[in-house]
Amino acid sequence: MAVAFCTALLGLGTAACNDDNLNPIPETLISDQVVFDTPARIELQVNNLYAYVKTGAFYGGRYTVYNDVRADDFINRTTNSVTAFGVWAHALTPTSQNDVVNLWSAAYQAINQANVFLAGMDANSVKFVAPTFPATFATTAEQYKAEARLLRALSYYSLLQLYARPYADGAGSKLGLPLRLQAENSLPGNDLARSTVAEVYTQILADLQFAETNLPLTYTGNAAAAPNITRAHRNTAIALKTRVLLSMQRYADVVTEANKIVSASAPFTATTGVPNALNASIAAVFASPQETSESIFSFPFTAQNAPGTQNQLAGYFTPTPVGNGEFFLNTSGILGNAAWAATDARRTSFVFVSGGASYLRKYASGTPYLDKSPVIRYAEVMLNLAEGLARTSATNIPRALELLNAVRGRSNGSLYPATISQQDLINAILLERRIEFVGEGIRNIDIMRLNQTIPAKSSVPAIPTSDPRYVWPIPAAEIQTNALIVQNEGY
């Protein structure tokens, strides 16, 4: 649905606000005076919030790609600056349009849409009464707000991973992001200083806590039904909290949250809400339509709503004729690690040799590229819990090991022994994450949350934590239109 909101395009320095006499609202649009007048119109707005986050410049493909190719498991083939060569080579500037500028703009547009919706819900709450609205709409309204806040939290978390120092660097004391929580519809509201990393994380957790409290346990009761994968539910909020808390190195809290949706012993499943669980086959998880109990949250696409040109995950990682093979697997990266056995199902199912190079084919559908874009799945929650357990106490080793071996064991018959040390277990979990989530945008996040050097690859040297290129620059357009913002050091 097109809504005639007067919305500032944050970070671009432009606004979609016009004089009504010169630019009357077209008859095909619905004025912001009436978009909250019926349940159907409100639900269409909620659907629109998801559309903003899954745009191609953001979670429709590029955000996931950037967090993989920044690290060391892929080699660039095309040297095309439009398709992430600058990201791979750590050669970005504040004016790098296709990545630095566009991702920032897309994420903040998604955030502002959530803010506009939340403000509208509060301003129009007196309308939510019979006979137009059912008696149960008060609960539904809180659910809709929870969806908006979860998407806002996801957007802020995603921005932090690229444009700000990791939480581990100074316990969140470094500069984070402009924390925009108000609906902006004009440029004067654009001036806002950067909050600290810790302050942004605090807001993210507050949004996710609200989401957990107010989202439904399930939409249909069927774990493989699309709404339980493509729309946020209670388990989605909990799962994302485990990722956020892991990035903050709050390991005991990771355990507390993960225990809400991971049973005490195998077979590991969520005992409340959507019955999320590790699927028996990793190949099935990524087979069309990517709707198994393991998929906690993914963004869907249709032929009429595809990721867009040069945004698709398959286009980057899969060779012709399906994709363009912009990046192939680095033989000096995870592909060459002996822990990733030749018989591992993740290798036999997803590694494809073409033209002498090995490519990833987790995303196997060609034009118009309808593979879902994964946000989080149950295997990650299990490994988040395993790491949280392993880092908090040596007494947790047995359960952490059981979780690790459950993920590893479904694809690789070689399991880690009960005699493993605490540090070796932590290292094994981190290694397993590289294998399990290759091509899913986790690798660079894992490096940075531990405040580690981004490893070298091919002709690209390592990027130590002291290098200004360790984080992306704030876009020049934001600097020009926001008088209170400060650029990252070195740019």
Side-chain angles (χ1 to χ4, degrees):
M1 177 184 71
V3 178
F5 282 142
C6 177
T7 305
L9 301 182
L10 300 173
L12 292 180
T14 61
C17 196
N18 298 296
D19 186 283
D20 289 341
N21 294 323
L22 297 177
N23 297 279
I25 297 172
E27 293 182 2
T28 55
L29 298 184
I30 301 175
S31 167
D32 59 357
Q33 302 301 310
V34 298
V35 291
F36 294 95
D37 281 0
T38 69
R41 288 177 178 175
I42 294 174
E43 185 166 21
L44 284 171
Q45 291 185 70
V46 175
N47 294 338
N48 196 45
L49 298 179
Y50 287 86
Y52 267 86
V53 181
K54 73 170 190 175
T55 186
F58 193 17
Y59 246 111
R62 285 187 177 254
Y63 173 74
T64 301
V65 170
Y66 295 157
N67 275 296
D68 259 300
V69 305
R70 281 200 89 211
D72 55 333
D73 288 333
F74 288 91
I75 299 296
N76 180 268
R77 183 183 66 85
T78 62
T79 67
N80 185 349
S81 61
V82 175
T83 52
F85 174 71
V87 175
W88 179 79
H90 304 293
L92 301 177
T93 71
T95 57
S96 295
Q97 186 69 35
N98 293 290
D99 24 62
V100 171
V101 175
N102 286 353
L103 194 146
W104 177 277
S105 178
Y108 268 109
Q109 287 185 50
I111 288 166
N112 197 47
Q113 288 299 313
N115 291 340
V116 167
F117 174 77
L118 289 166
M121 289 292 285
D122 290 341
N124 290 274
S125 60
V126 294
K127 298 179 181 179
F128 304 157
V129 295
T132 305
F133 290 83
T136 58
F137 192 78
T139 299
T140 303
E142 294 306 294
Q143 173 198 316
Y144 289 163
K145 293 178 187 177
E147 290 181 82
R149 291 186 66 170
L150 182 139
L151 292 170
R152 183 172 71 181
L154 178 63
S155 299
Y156 271 123
Y157 174 82
S158 302
L159 285 167
L160 279 177
Q161 308 318 303
L162 294 171
Y163 297 92
R165 302 290 302 181
Y167 188 91
D169 182 6
S173 62
K174 301 299 175 66
L175 286 176
L177 306 164
L179 191 52
R180 300 187 182 279
L181 303 176
Q182 305 299 318
E184 299 290 352
N185 57 18
S186 62
L187 285 178
N190 211 47
D191 289 345
L192 185 66
R194 296 171 69 176
S195 297
T196 66
V197 168
E199 288 168 338
V200 180
Y201 270 115
T202 296
Q203 181 61 47
I204 290 168
L205 289 173
D207 281 348
L208 292 177
Q209 184 57 52
F210 182 90
E212 179 188 349
T213 302
N214 293 284
L215 287 171
L217 289 176
T218 178
Y219 288 100
T220 65
N222 180 351
N228 285 328
I229 295 168
T230 60
R231 193 165 184 176
H233 49 79
R234 174 179 171 270
N235 287 3
T236 314
I238 296 169
L240 288 175
K241 273 201 283 184
T242 69
R243 179 187 288 179
V244 171
L245 291 164
L246 197 69
S247 293
M248 299 175 73
Q249 299 188 353
R250 288 171 52 176
Y251 300 119
D253 291 329
V254 172
V255 174
T256 298
E257 293 298 327
N259 277 339
K260 296 177 181 178
I261 56 174
V262 180
S263 55
S265 59
F268 298 106
T269 60
T271 55
T272 62
V274 176
N276 296 117
L278 195 69
N279 197 68
S281 165
I282 184 62
V285 172
F286 286 89
S288 182
Q290 301 98 31
E291 294 176 3
T292 70
S293 60
E294 184 167 336
S295 300
I296 297 177
F297 188 39
S298 299
F299 288 112
F301 300 97
T302 66
Q304 293 72 38
N305 182 27
T309 304
Q310 296 178 312
N311 296 323
Q312 315 92 340
L313 292 169
Y316 281 86
F317 295 132
T318 311
T320 55
V322 173
N324 192 45
E326 300 281 343
F327 294 87
F328 57 88
L329 288 162
N330 184 6
T331 56
S332 297
I334 193 59
L335 184 69
N337 195 301
W340 196 5
T343 55
D344 191 307
R346 294 164 295 193
R347 197 171 189 124
T348 59
S349 299
F350 301 138
V351 177
F352 179 75
V353 178
S354 175
S358 295
Y359 291 87
L360 183 72
R361 57 175 182 182
K362 275 185 174 177
Y363 312 103
S365 71
T367 305
Y369 300 103
L370 303 185
D371 286 319
K372 289 182 174 62
S373 177
V375 178
I376 193 164
R377 53 189 177 92
Y378 199 71
E380 183 186 341
V381 178
M382 291 173 62
L383 291 180
N384 291 350
L385 175 55
E387 186 174 343
L389 288 165
R391 289 188 184 275
T392 49
S393 173
T395 61
N396 294 327
I397 287 177
R399 187 174 180 224
L401 179 61
E402 189 178 16
L403 288 158
L404 169 62
N405 278 336
V407 175
R408 181 174 175 79
R410 70 144 166 207
S411 301
N412 187 331
S414 176
L415 304 182
Y416 290 100
T419 55
I420 193 169
S421 70
Q422 185 176 12
Q423 187 57 56
D424 285 347
L425 175 59
I426 292 169
N427 293 340
I429 292 168
L430 293 173
L431 180 60
E432 199 64 28
R433 290 173 67 88
R434 286 183 69 184
I435 298 171
E436 181 70 22
F437 305 122
V438 62
E440 296 180 57
I442 299 294
R443 172 62 174 152
N444 190 70
I445 293 174
D446 277 354
I447 291 171
M448 293 188 68
R449 69 179 169 86
L450 297 172
N451 208 24
Q452 296 176 340
T453 294
I454 301 174
K457 68 232 173 177
S458 185
S459 60
V460 179
I463 304 295
T465 60
S466 58
D467 192 311
R469 293 172 296 173
Y470 195 69
V471 296
W472 282 13
I474 304 299
E478 180 71 23
I479 300 292
Q480 293 164 3
T481 59
N482 181 352
L484 298 180
I485 200 167
V486 177
Q487 179 59 277
N488 279 324
E489 186 178 356
Y491 288 101

